[in-house]
Amino acid sequence: MERETQFIGQSAAFQDAVERASLAASLDRPVLVIGERGTGKELIAERLHRLSTRWDRPYVILNCAAMPETLIESELFGHEAGAFTGATRTRAGRFEEADGGTLFLDELATMSMGAQERLLRAVEYGEVTRVGSSRPIRVDVRIVAATNEHLPALVDDNRFRADLLDRLSFEVITLPPLRAREGDIEVLATYFGQRMAAVLGWDEWPGFGPRALAAMEGHDWPGNVRELRNVIERAIYRWADPEKPVDAVNFDPFASPWQPVVRKGAAPADRGSAPTAPADPAPASTAMPTGPVRDMRAAVDSYERQILADTMARCRFNQKVAAEALGLSYDQIRHALKKHGLNQ
């Protein structure tokens, strides 16, 4: 699928962040985009460029975490031939490439203190000096930077320059995590589900069943929108009946009764040996009810039903596999599923 740059969501928290980005776009000032992984920081950065007066000029991206500390200064500011071993020719840096446009620095917090010092001078004076040169070069670049770190805390720990943070934080846009975006989980799930159904050639979109929707609403989504997209696309591709609502989602693709067991001090398993089931199955994503219990039998039944439903979903509704994961016999799990109306 081609990369999407549109924003999907209706929650007030998300719309406020997008609106702040739209408002800041027209001002030729640095912007910091803060947010957990998968919240859409790069999309906000691109929006800041596309809605600015620089929209028809270069938009250059550098992931600071992908650059070794020894090369990031050369990557940002360029270098002269012979400046270091392997520098066989003069090379312009990202600042020169972005001249007149926008430079997006992703994973800003991973930048070394030395690179931060040179970045500060570039932002402060609009000048860069290639590695191995003494001649400054004038550049006109707008900086947009992103991180999932709390930069003021890094300043307190002497891991980030306070003066650079002051220069870059004209506007700070903090993106809400998916778990805080009320109503957006179902909206996003439907959007990604419809796209995946079209890719698979389904005649129409059947929607999600109540069990799948409840599971999605109850999940914490540590990977945010990126994780949700993977979960939804995997659920659609694994669903066997395109005419029925998709009612099973798997949050952990590695969960399996046969996943390898890694023991402390054990040698790596021989590739030719047969896989073994784990001694203890991965627990279902359930929690005991909190607060006062007024009907113990009903509370126990509800908890038992939740364990069964989660384990069946994790085991792709294979009763034999689920029985093994729960330490039950095949007859016992069939009886339990029938008791709780989960055997359809």
Side-chain angles (χ1 to χ4, degrees):
M1 297 180 207
E2 68 275 9
R3 181 168 174 270
E4 292 287 336
T5 57
Q6 63 204 84
F7 292 91
I8 309 296
Q10 61 186 17
S11 66
F14 176 69
Q15 292 292 342
D16 285 348
V18 174
E19 182 61 29
R20 287 185 66 181
S22 302
L23 187 63
S26 61
L27 297 175
D28 203 14
R29 296 289 187 277
V31 177
L32 282 175
V33 185
I34 313 295
E36 297 178 7
R37 62 186 173 94
T39 50
K41 297 186 290 294
E42 188 168 339
L43 294 182
I44 289 289
E46 187 167 345
R47 185 179 187 85
L48 286 164
H49 174 70
R50 299 301 175 196
L51 296 182
S52 73
T53 56
R54 299 170 179 259
W55 64 270
D56 59 342
R57 303 297 295 164
Y59 175 62
V60 178
I61 301 172
L62 176 65
N63 187 328
C64 300
M67 290 288 108
E69 184 177 343
T70 53
L71 293 181
I72 192 164
E73 292 189 39
S74 170
E75 195 68 28
L76 275 172
F77 310 114
H79 61 257
E80 296 291 339
F84 51 84
T85 303
T88 57
R89 59 186 178 85
T90 298
R91 183 183 182 280
R94 301 296 177 96
F95 265 94
E96 290 179 72
E97 292 175 3
D99 191 24
T102 303
L103 175 60
F104 173 48
L105 299 176
D106 200 6
E107 303 289 352
L108 176 72
T110 64
M111 187 177 288
S112 68
M113 295 297 281
Q116 289 178 34
E117 183 175 358
R118 296 194 64 180
L119 176 61
L120 174 64
R121 179 172 182 82
V123 175
E124 189 84 37
Y125 301 108
E127 292 182 349
V128 297
T129 303
R130 292 175 180 168
V131 176
S133 173
S134 59
R135 181 176 61 87
I137 301 171
R138 296 288 301 175
V139 290
D140 173 22
V141 175
R142 183 193 192 181
I143 299 292
V144 177
T147 182
N148 58 7
E149 298 272 7
H150 184 55
L151 293 178
L154 297 188
V155 170
D156 293 341
D157 291 341
N158 294 318
R159 294 164 52 199
F160 199 86
R161 293 183 62 100
D163 45 6
L164 177 59
L165 182 60
D166 290 340
R167 289 294 291 123
L168 294 180
S169 57
F170 169 80
E171 176 62 292
V172 179
I173 299 171
T174 304
L175 299 180
L178 184 56
R179 59 185 174 275
R181 294 171 53 175
E182 186 176 356
D184 281 355
I185 291 175
E186 185 173 356
V187 171
L188 285 160
T190 299
Y191 172 72
F192 291 131
Q194 288 174 334
R195 290 183 65 204
M196 190 62 180
V199 169
L200 295 175
W202 291 10
D203 293 333
E204 58 183 27
W205 168 240
F208 291 102
R211 183 167 53 189
L213 287 173
M216 286 187 282
E217 291 293 343
H219 188 57
D220 196 43
W221 299 111
N224 293 287
V225 178
R226 186 183 296 120
E227 180 190 2
L228 182 139
R229 174 176 173 172
N230 286 338
V231 167
I232 296 305
E233 291 182 351
R234 182 166 58 244
I236 305 304
Y237 131 79
R238 289 180 174 180
W239 191 244
D241 191 348
E243 296 182 1
K244 292 183 179 180
V246 178
D247 208 18
V249 291
N250 177 13
F251 300 110
D252 182 6
F254 295 96
S256 169
W258 304 283
Q259 67 187 38
V261 177
V262 179
R263 298 181 178 86
K264 289 184 178 180
D270 185 355
R271 291 188 177 184
S273 61
T276 58
D280 296 305
S285 58
T286 56
M288 286 294 288
T290 57
V293 174
R294 293 181 175 83
D295 187 334
M296 181 174 177
R297 185 179 297 277
V300 171
D301 283 348
S302 175
Y303 187 55
E304 181 179 296
R305 188 184 193 281
Q306 182 70 32
I307 292 175
L308 285 167
D310 285 0
T311 304
M312 286 294 290
R314 185 162 50 86
C315 296
R316 298 180 64 186
F317 302 95
N318 186 313
Q319 293 181 5
K320 290 185 178 180
V321 174
E324 181 181 346
L326 292 173
L328 300 175
S329 69
Y330 182 61
D331 288 338
Q332 285 174 327
I333 199 167
R334 282 176 59 84
H335 175 76
L337 292 172
K338 183 177 181 180
K339 170 186 173 182
H340 293 286
L342 297 173
N343 59 342
Q344 53 270 52

